[in-house]
């Protein structure tokens, strides 16, 4: 009797699924950080202009988003997020 190898059990399929899961996790981390930065500022009573919101939303660098989130904890103006650049 010949064994049937189904594609979803094939090592290549497993690799593709693993890569897709990691890409999804990365996108989730990016989205979470993009969303939290303006919220931190809003919770602290700091107005967030559209230009700041757009710049944060467009960022794809997790380290940069983390730096902006740390800065948002003490910022008195949303523009201070970008002062180090």
């Amino acid at each position: 009797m010949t064994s049937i190898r189904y594609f979803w059990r094939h090592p290549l399929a497993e690799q593709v699924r693993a890569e897709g899961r990691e890409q999804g996790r990365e996108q989730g981390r990016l989205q979470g950080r993009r969303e939290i930065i303006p919220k931190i500022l809003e919770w602290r009573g700091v107005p967030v202009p559209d230009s700041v919101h757009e710049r944060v939303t467009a960022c794809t660098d997790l380290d940069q988003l983390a730096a902006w989130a740390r800065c948002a904890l003490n910022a008195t103006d949303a523009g201070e997020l970008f002062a180090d650049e």
Side-chain angles (χ1 to χ4, degrees):
M1 179 182 254
T2 306
S3 68
I4 299 173
R5 289 195 59 127
Y6 293 100
F7 178 74
W8 67 84
R9 292 184 186 167
H10 192 276
L12 179 61
E14 291 175 13
Q15 178 185 352
V16 169
R17 280 193 301 275
E19 289 172 4
R21 277 192 297 273
E22 183 54 37
Q23 287 174 351
R25 286 185 195 110
E26 180 79 11
Q27 288 300 316
R29 286 188 289 268
L30 280 170
Q31 189 61 32
R33 288 190 186 171
R34 288 176 183 148
E35 291 174 358
I36 199 66
I37 294 167
K39 287 189 185 301
I40 291 171
L41 293 169
E42 290 169 4
W43 292 333
R44 297 187 58 247
V46 177
V48 181
D50 289 340
S51 61
V52 170
H53 191 66
E54 289 169 5
R55 187 165 175 187
V56 169
T57 302
C59 184
T60 58
D61 182 357
L62 281 170
D63 293 332
Q64 182 63 64
L65 289 166
W68 288 344
R70 282 189 301 274
C71 185
L73 295 171
N74 298 312
T76 57
D77 179 80
E80 291 178 27
L81 296 178
F82 316 120
D84 292 339
E85 297 177 0

